[in-house]
């Protein structure tokens, strides 16, 4: 049995949904289908999830909601019209979208989560109707009815362990299942969503819970590329990679697969196949456990780059001899309810790397003030202009010259390295640079390890 997730790009229009129907028709093992909300139809389009956020914001601020509701419904109507579905389907979707406006929520965070989740929910109802009309018996399943339970923040949920027990008890019907991605229910029955891109997580949870043979993740590219195509045009494709390579690369910028989604797949040892809805016979990228031989000719699988980080640099002589310095620092972070991403350190220096999206200017200001007064560093600098490049490959642990080659490729091209750290995982090397230097740095590293690209 396969769990198949279709991303927003695969469900954005009637034409795309028709491709989804053929993909399902081509393989009866594709039993559990996870939907995203309709995504962008062109680069300037707005995803339905973003329209739903606007809808929620209008509701919270008591502004008129009719224009955005019309825009959202038009997206589903266009798909419904493509298949000439009976009116009842759109009436049901319209009622659901209007009904949430009359629901009472514990707070605005829960309101926002419920509004956002409608994108995948309505799309799952619509897709089930389309499949039935196209002769593929299918049933919409609400996550609540099978005990798909989550905890944590309403907009950043995590799956509860009992979900797996609930899924193990579920006997799948003979029809296909259409299951909305991106959200679950907490134990008080409120909708909570995963982080953005989280339909990938739903697919991985279902794959593990239902012990699928394969988790197919359909998107709009033939495979996962070795590097961002905006930086290197026509890069090499990754045919096979390990779970932990995917985890590191998605964390550092490969947005094609949500970075938390690999975890349930690892726990269940479910292989993941990223494939293209627009070219379904292409083999795509297979993500599997690490027990396969790496290519000795190239230890690198991919190079990711992200500028969503900031760094706090601290210098104090004899830091290495001072007991409790890092503990006090971590206590300050705890006071601010702040998690950090990495802490590379030297004898007298410490750099703490944060996810910039979790911090505002006021917090940064008072955090730095607290550190100065509590820890008296000789030098403290907040570095907003920070990019991280992650060079990832199972082969890194088996070679001795990879780090040297990376450093050479950057220094020979006058790119200043602010931080370099061979990850504790032994399969990644992290490099901090100024943001402006990051794309060129990625290109030079790529050209060192892969066939030179056309620029
Ligand atoms: N290394 C990479 N390989 C392939 N695609 C990538 C990579 N990094 C980022 N992407 C982007 O991920 C997109 C697919 O992910 P996403 O937009 O979430 O798709 P979906 O709508 O299917 O969920 C691709 O169109 C591409 O722009
Ligand atoms: N629709 C949600 C969840 C998701 O996974 O979407 P997509 O499959 O289009 O990345 C979002 O936009 O975040």
């Amino acid at each position: 049995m396969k769990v198949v997730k279709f991303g927003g790009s695969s469900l954005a229009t009637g034409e795309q949904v028709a491709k989804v129907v053929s993909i399902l028709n081509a393989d009866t093992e594709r039993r559990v289908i996870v939907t995203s909300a309709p995504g962008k139809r062109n680069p300037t389009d707005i995803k339905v999830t973003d329209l739903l956020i606007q809808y929620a914001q209008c509701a919270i601020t008591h502004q008129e909601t009719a224009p955005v509701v019309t825009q959202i419904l038009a997206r589903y109507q266009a798909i419904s019209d493509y298949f000439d579905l009976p009116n009842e389907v759109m009436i049901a979707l319209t009622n659901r979208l209007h009904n949430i406006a009359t629901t009472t929520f514990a707070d605005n965070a829960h309101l926002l989560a419920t509004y956002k989740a409608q994108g995948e929910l309505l799309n799952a109802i619509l897709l089930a109707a389309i499949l039935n009309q196209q002769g593929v018996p299918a049933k919409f399943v609400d996550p609540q009815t099978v005990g798909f339970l989550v905890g944590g923040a309403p907009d950043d949920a995590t799956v509860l362990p009992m979900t797996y027990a609930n899924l193990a008890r579920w006997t799948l019907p003979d029809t296909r299942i259409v299951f909305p991605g991106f959200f679950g229910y907490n134990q008080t029955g409120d909708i909570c969503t995963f982080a953005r891109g989280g339909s990938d997580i739903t697919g991985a949870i279902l794959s593990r819970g239902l012990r699928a043979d394969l988790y197919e993740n359909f998107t709009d590219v033939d495979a996962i590329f070795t590097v961002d195509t905006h930086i290197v045009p026509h890069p090499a494709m990754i045919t096979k990679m390990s779970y932990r390579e995917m985890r590191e690369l998605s964390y550092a910028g490969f947005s094609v697969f949500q970075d938390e989604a690999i975890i349930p797949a690892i726990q269940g040892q479910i292989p993941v196949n990223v494939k293209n809805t627009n070219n379904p016979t292409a083999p795509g990228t297979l993500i599997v456990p690490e027990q396969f031989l790496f290519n000795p000719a190239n230890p690198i699988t991919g190079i990711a780059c992200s500028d969503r980080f900031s760094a706090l640099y601290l210098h104090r002589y004899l830091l290495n001899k001072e007991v409790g310095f890092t503990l006090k620092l971590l206590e300050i972070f705890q006071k601010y309810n702040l998690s950090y991403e990495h802490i590379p350190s030297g004898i007298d220096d410490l750099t703490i790397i944060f996810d910039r999206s979790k911090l505002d200017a006021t917090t940064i200001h008072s955090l730095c003030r607290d550190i100065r007064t509590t820890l008296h560093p000789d030098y403290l600098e907040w570095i907003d202009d920070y990019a991280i490049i992650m060079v990832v490959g199972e082969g890194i642990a088996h070679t001795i010259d990879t780090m040297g080659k990376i450093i050479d490729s950057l220094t020979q091209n006058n790119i200043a390295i602010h931080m370099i750290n061979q990850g504790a995982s032994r399969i990644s090397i992290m490099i901090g640079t100024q943001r402006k230097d990051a794309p060129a740095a990625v290109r030079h590293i790529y050209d060192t390890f892969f066939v030179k690209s056309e620029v």
Side-chain angles (χ1 to χ4, degrees), residues 73-93:
L73 287 171
R75 295 295 308 268
Y76 295 98
Q77 184 74 58
I79 301 170
S80 174
D81 288 348
Y82 183 94
F83 289 95
D84 211 6
L85 289 187
N87 280 343
E88 294 87 270
V89 180
M90 273 314 292
I91 291 170
L93 302 195

PDB file of all heavy atoms in Angstrom, residues 73-93:
ATOM      1  N   LEU A  73     -13.373  30.773  -2.897  1.00  0.00           N
ATOM      2  CA  LEU A  73     -14.344  29.842  -3.500  1.00  0.00           C
ATOM      3  C   LEU A  73     -14.141  29.728  -5.005  1.00  0.00           C
ATOM      4  O   LEU A  73     -14.345  28.653  -5.595  1.00  0.00           O
ATOM      5  CB  LEU A  73     -15.766  30.277  -3.159  1.00  0.00           C
ATOM      6  CG  LEU A  73     -16.162  30.020  -1.689  1.00  0.00           C
ATOM      7  CD1 LEU A  73     -17.499  30.673  -1.360  1.00  0.00           C
ATOM      8  CD2 LEU A  73     -16.203  28.517  -1.376  1.00  0.00           C
ATOM      9  N   ALA A  74     -13.697  30.829  -5.625  1.00  0.00           N
ATOM     10  CA  ALA A  74     -13.469  30.796  -7.085  1.00  0.00           C
ATOM     11  C   ALA A  74     -12.415  29.757  -7.447  1.00  0.00           C
ATOM     12  O   ALA A  74     -12.487  29.130  -8.516  1.00  0.00           O
ATOM     13  CB  ALA A  74     -13.054  32.180  -7.574  1.00  0.00           C
ATOM     14  N   ARG A  75     -11.433  29.567  -6.549  1.00  0.00           N
ATOM     15  CA  ARG A  75     -10.377  28.575  -6.830  1.00  0.00           C
ATOM     16  C   ARG A  75     -10.972  27.155  -6.901  1.00  0.00           C
ATOM     17  O   ARG A  75     -10.629  26.369  -7.760  1.00  0.00           O
ATOM     18  CB  ARG A  75      -9.285  28.622  -5.749  1.00  0.00           C
ATOM     19  CG  ARG A  75      -8.471  29.909  -5.678  1.00  0.00           C
ATOM     20  CD  ARG A  75      -7.636  30.148  -6.915  1.00  0.00           C
ATOM     21  NE  ARG A  75      -6.806  29.015  -7.285  1.00  0.00           N
ATOM     22  CZ  ARG A  75      -5.544  28.834  -6.887  1.00  0.00           C
ATOM     23  NH1 ARG A  75      -4.961  29.735  -6.133  1.00  0.00           N
ATOM     24  NH2 ARG A  75      -4.858  27.777  -7.278  1.00  0.00           N
ATOM     25  N   TYR A  76     -11.859  26.855  -5.951  1.00  0.00           N
ATOM     26  CA  TYR A  76     -12.471  25.512  -5.938  1.00  0.00           C
ATOM     27  C   TYR A  76     -13.505  25.379  -7.060  1.00  0.00           C
ATOM     28  O   TYR A  76     -13.633  24.331  -7.674  1.00  0.00           O
ATOM     29  CB  TYR A  76     -13.113  25.235  -4.565  1.00  0.00           C
ATOM     30  CG  TYR A  76     -12.075  25.168  -3.463  1.00  0.00           C
ATOM     31  CD1 TYR A  76     -11.818  26.258  -2.650  1.00  0.00           C
ATOM     32  CD2 TYR A  76     -11.327  24.008  -3.275  1.00  0.00           C
ATOM     33  CE1 TYR A  76     -10.847  26.203  -1.660  1.00  0.00           C
ATOM     34  CE2 TYR A  76     -10.349  23.940  -2.281  1.00  0.00           C
ATOM     35  CZ  TYR A  76     -10.120  25.038  -1.483  1.00  0.00           C
ATOM     36  OH  TYR A  76      -9.149  24.982  -0.508  1.00  0.00           O
ATOM     37  N   GLN A  77     -14.228  26.498  -7.306  1.00  0.00           N
ATOM     38  CA  GLN A  77     -15.256  26.478  -8.354  1.00  0.00           C
ATOM     39  C   GLN A  77     -14.613  26.141  -9.711  1.00  0.00           C
ATOM     40  O   GLN A  77     -15.163  25.351 -10.494  1.00  0.00           O
ATOM     41  CB  GLN A  77     -15.956  27.847  -8.409  1.00  0.00           C
ATOM     42  CG  GLN A  77     -17.112  27.942  -9.392  1.00  0.00           C
ATOM     43  CD  GLN A  77     -18.353  27.195  -8.897  1.00  0.00           C
ATOM     44  OE1 GLN A  77     -18.869  27.474  -7.831  1.00  0.00           O
ATOM     45  NE2 GLN A  77     -18.841  26.232  -9.686  1.00  0.00           N
ATOM     46  N   ALA A  78     -13.436  26.731  -9.963  1.00  0.00           N
ATOM     47  CA  ALA A  78     -12.772  26.492 -11.263  1.00  0.00           C
ATOM     48  C   ALA A  78     -12.444  25.003 -11.419  1.00  0.00           C
ATOM     49  O   ALA A  78     -12.604  24.440 -12.511  1.00  0.00           O
ATOM     50  CB  ALA A  78     -11.500  27.340 -11.354  1.00  0.00           C
ATOM     51  N   ILE A  79     -12.022  24.372 -10.345  1.00  0.00           N
ATOM     52  CA  ILE A  79     -11.687  22.938 -10.422  1.00  0.00           C
ATOM     53  C   ILE A  79     -12.970  22.125 -10.602  1.00  0.00           C
ATOM     54  O   ILE A  79     -13.052  21.208 -11.427  1.00  0.00           O
ATOM     55  CB  ILE A  79     -10.906  22.488  -9.155  1.00  0.00           C
ATOM     56  CG1 ILE A  79      -9.614  23.299  -9.019  1.00  0.00           C
ATOM     57  CG2 ILE A  79     -10.611  20.983  -9.200  1.00  0.00           C
ATOM     58  CD1 ILE A  79      -8.868  23.124  -7.694  1.00  0.00           C
ATOM     59  N   SER A  80     -13.986  22.507  -9.828  1.00  0.00           N
ATOM     60  CA  SER A  80     -15.274  21.822  -9.922  1.00  0.00           C
ATOM     61  C   SER A  80     -15.843  21.938 -11.352  1.00  0.00           C
ATOM     62  O   SER A  80     -16.330  20.958 -11.927  1.00  0.00           O
ATOM     63  CB  SER A  80     -16.225  22.437  -8.891  1.00  0.00           C
ATOM     64  OG  SER A  80     -17.495  21.911  -9.040  1.00  0.00           O
ATOM     65  N   ASP A  81     -15.738  23.150 -11.933  1.00  0.00           N
ATOM     66  CA  ASP A  81     -16.260  23.374 -13.295  1.00  0.00           C
ATOM     67  C   ASP A  81     -15.513  22.516 -14.320  1.00  0.00           C
ATOM     68  O   ASP A  81     -16.102  22.010 -15.272  1.00  0.00           O
ATOM     69  CB  ASP A  81     -16.129  24.854 -13.696  1.00  0.00           C
ATOM     70  CG  ASP A  81     -17.115  25.728 -12.934  1.00  0.00           C
ATOM     71  OD1 ASP A  81     -18.025  25.165 -12.286  1.00  0.00           O
ATOM     72  OD2 ASP A  81     -16.959  26.968 -12.963  1.00  0.00           O
ATOM     73  N   TYR A  82     -14.204  22.376 -14.117  1.00  0.00           N
ATOM     74  CA  TYR A  82     -13.398  21.589 -15.057  1.00  0.00           C
ATOM     75  C   TYR A  82     -13.960  20.175 -15.174  1.00  0.00           C
ATOM     76  O   TYR A  82     -13.978  19.580 -16.232  1.00  0.00           O
ATOM     77  CB  TYR A  82     -11.939  21.564 -14.574  1.00  0.00           C
ATOM     78  CG  TYR A  82     -10.987  20.848 -15.506  1.00  0.00           C
ATOM     79  CD1 TYR A  82     -10.264  21.549 -16.479  1.00  0.00           C
ATOM     80  CD2 TYR A  82     -10.821  19.465 -15.429  1.00  0.00           C
ATOM     81  CE1 TYR A  82      -9.396  20.883 -17.328  1.00  0.00           C
ATOM     82  CE2 TYR A  82      -9.958  18.799 -16.283  1.00  0.00           C
ATOM     83  CZ  TYR A  82      -9.246  19.516 -17.228  1.00  0.00           C
ATOM     84  OH  TYR A  82      -8.386  18.859 -18.070  1.00  0.00           O
ATOM     85  N   PHE A  83     -14.440  19.645 -14.039  1.00  0.00           N
ATOM     86  CA  PHE A  83     -14.962  18.266 -14.033  1.00  0.00           C
ATOM     87  C   PHE A  83     -16.489  18.225 -14.139  1.00  0.00           C
ATOM     88  O   PHE A  83     -17.080  17.153 -14.071  1.00  0.00           O
ATOM     89  CB  PHE A  83     -14.507  17.536 -12.758  1.00  0.00           C
ATOM     90  CG  PHE A  83     -13.041  17.227 -12.761  1.00  0.00           C
ATOM     91  CD1 PHE A  83     -12.133  18.077 -12.144  1.00  0.00           C
ATOM     92  CD2 PHE A  83     -12.557  16.111 -13.424  1.00  0.00           C
ATOM     93  CE1 PHE A  83     -10.769  17.802 -12.163  1.00  0.00           C
ATOM     94  CE2 PHE A  83     -11.201  15.827 -13.447  1.00  0.00           C
ATOM     95  CZ  PHE A  83     -10.307  16.670 -12.822  1.00  0.00           C
ATOM     96  N   ASP A  84     -17.086  19.423 -14.231  1.00  0.00           N
ATOM     97  CA  ASP A  84     -18.535  19.503 -14.357  1.00  0.00           C
ATOM     98  C   ASP A  84     -19.244  18.762 -13.201  1.00  0.00           C
ATOM     99  O   ASP A  84     -20.173  17.974 -13.413  1.00  0.00           O
ATOM    100  CB  ASP A  84     -18.934  18.877 -15.712  1.00  0.00           C
ATOM    101  CG  ASP A  84     -20.180  19.540 -16.254  1.00  0.00           C
ATOM    102  OD1 ASP A  84     -20.622  20.522 -15.639  1.00  0.00           O
ATOM    103  OD2 ASP A  84     -20.721  19.046 -17.268  1.00  0.00           O
ATOM    104  N   LEU A  85     -18.791  19.043 -12.005  1.00  0.00           N
ATOM    105  CA  LEU A  85     -19.370  18.386 -10.824  1.00  0.00           C
ATOM    106  C   LEU A  85     -20.756  18.947 -10.537  1.00  0.00           C
ATOM    107  O   LEU A  85     -21.034  20.109 -10.856  1.00  0.00           O
ATOM    108  CB  LEU A  85     -18.498  18.630  -9.589  1.00  0.00           C
ATOM    109  CG  LEU A  85     -17.151  17.936  -9.496  1.00  0.00           C
ATOM    110  CD1 LEU A  85     -16.541  18.183  -8.112  1.00  0.00           C
ATOM    111  CD2 LEU A  85     -17.245  16.434  -9.733  1.00  0.00           C
ATOM    112  N   PRO A  86     -21.634  18.167  -9.904  1.00  0.00           N
ATOM    113  CA  PRO A  86     -22.944  18.711  -9.538  1.00  0.00           C
ATOM    114  C   PRO A  86     -22.796  19.851  -8.509  1.00  0.00           C
ATOM    115  O   PRO A  86     -21.833  19.865  -7.735  1.00  0.00           O
ATOM    116  CB  PRO A  86     -23.675  17.514  -8.911  1.00  0.00           C
ATOM    117  CG  PRO A  86     -22.630  16.502  -8.619  1.00  0.00           C
ATOM    118  CD  PRO A  86     -21.470  16.771  -9.524  1.00  0.00           C
ATOM    119  N   ASN A  87     -23.766  20.776  -8.505  1.00  0.00           N
ATOM    120  CA  ASN A  87     -23.692  21.968  -7.642  1.00  0.00           C
ATOM    121  C   ASN A  87     -23.551  21.655  -6.157  1.00  0.00           C
ATOM    122  O   ASN A  87     -22.972  22.446  -5.410  1.00  0.00           O
ATOM    123  CB  ASN A  87     -24.981  22.804  -7.800  1.00  0.00           C
ATOM    124  CG  ASN A  87     -24.911  23.632  -9.055  1.00  0.00           C
ATOM    125  OD1 ASN A  87     -23.812  23.815  -9.606  1.00  0.00           O
ATOM    126  ND2 ASN A  87     -26.063  24.108  -9.519  1.00  0.00           N
ATOM    127  N   GLU A  88     -24.097  20.489  -5.753  1.00  0.00           N
ATOM    128  CA  GLU A  88     -24.089  20.170  -4.308  1.00  0.00           C
ATOM    129  C   GLU A  88     -22.670  20.233  -3.721  1.00  0.00           C
ATOM    130  O   GLU A  88     -22.492  20.588  -2.551  1.00  0.00           O
ATOM    131  CB  GLU A  88     -24.619  18.744  -4.024  1.00  0.00           C
ATOM    132  CG  GLU A  88     -26.069  18.510  -4.338  1.00  0.00           C
ATOM    133  CD  GLU A  88     -26.260  18.092  -5.788  1.00  0.00           C
ATOM    134  OE1 GLU A  88     -26.439  19.012  -6.617  1.00  0.00           O
ATOM    135  OE2 GLU A  88     -26.210  16.891  -6.085  1.00  0.00           O
ATOM    136  N   VAL A  89     -21.689  19.859  -4.528  1.00  0.00           N
ATOM    137  CA  VAL A  89     -20.322  19.813  -3.980  1.00  0.00           C
ATOM    138  C   VAL A  89     -19.884  21.228  -3.584  1.00  0.00           C
ATOM    139  O   VAL A  89     -19.431  21.465  -2.457  1.00  0.00           O
ATOM    140  CB  VAL A  89     -19.335  19.189  -4.996  1.00  0.00           C
ATOM    141  CG1 VAL A  89     -17.933  19.144  -4.416  1.00  0.00           C
ATOM    142  CG2 VAL A  89     -19.790  17.794  -5.401  1.00  0.00           C
ATOM    143  N   MET A  90     -20.059  22.175  -4.502  1.00  0.00           N
ATOM    144  CA  MET A  90     -19.642  23.550  -4.188  1.00  0.00           C
ATOM    145  C   MET A  90     -20.513  24.150  -3.079  1.00  0.00           C
ATOM    146  O   MET A  90     -20.016  24.947  -2.273  1.00  0.00           O
ATOM    147  CB  MET A  90     -19.697  24.438  -5.446  1.00  0.00           C
ATOM    148  CG  MET A  90     -18.444  24.414  -6.281  1.00  0.00           C
ATOM    149  SD  MET A  90     -16.893  24.591  -5.367  1.00  0.00           S
ATOM    150  CE  MET A  90     -16.965  26.263  -4.776  1.00  0.00           C
ATOM    151  N   ILE A  91     -21.767  23.738  -3.021  1.00  0.00           N
ATOM    152  CA  ILE A  91     -22.635  24.256  -1.942  1.00  0.00           C
ATOM    153  C   ILE A  91     -22.070  23.787  -0.584  1.00  0.00           C
ATOM    154  O   ILE A  91     -21.962  24.569   0.365  1.00  0.00           O
ATOM    155  CB  ILE A  91     -24.106  23.798  -2.145  1.00  0.00           C
ATOM    156  CG1 ILE A  91     -24.690  24.504  -3.368  1.00  0.00           C
ATOM    157  CG2 ILE A  91     -24.961  24.078  -0.901  1.00  0.00           C
ATOM    158  CD1 ILE A  91     -26.043  23.989  -3.835  1.00  0.00           C
ATOM    159  N   ALA A  92     -21.648  22.521  -0.538  1.00  0.00           N
ATOM    160  CA  ALA A  92     -21.091  21.989   0.724  1.00  0.00           C
ATOM    161  C   ALA A  92     -19.816  22.747   1.106  1.00  0.00           C
ATOM    162  O   ALA A  92     -19.627  23.122   2.271  1.00  0.00           O
ATOM    163  CB  ALA A  92     -20.801  20.498   0.575  1.00  0.00           C
ATOM    164  N   LEU A  93     -18.955  23.015   0.127  1.00  0.00           N
ATOM    165  CA  LEU A  93     -17.707  23.733   0.431  1.00  0.00           C
ATOM    166  C   LEU A  93     -18.007  25.163   0.892  1.00  0.00           C
ATOM    167  O   LEU A  93     -17.422  25.668   1.847  1.00  0.00           O
ATOM    168  CB  LEU A  93     -16.779  23.784  -0.793  1.00  0.00           C
ATOM    169  CG  LEU A  93     -16.323  22.475  -1.442  1.00  0.00           C
ATOM    170  CD1 LEU A  93     -15.146  22.720  -2.390  1.00  0.00           C
ATOM    171  CD2 LEU A  93     -15.918  21.424  -0.419  1.00  0.00           C
TER     172      LEU A  93
END
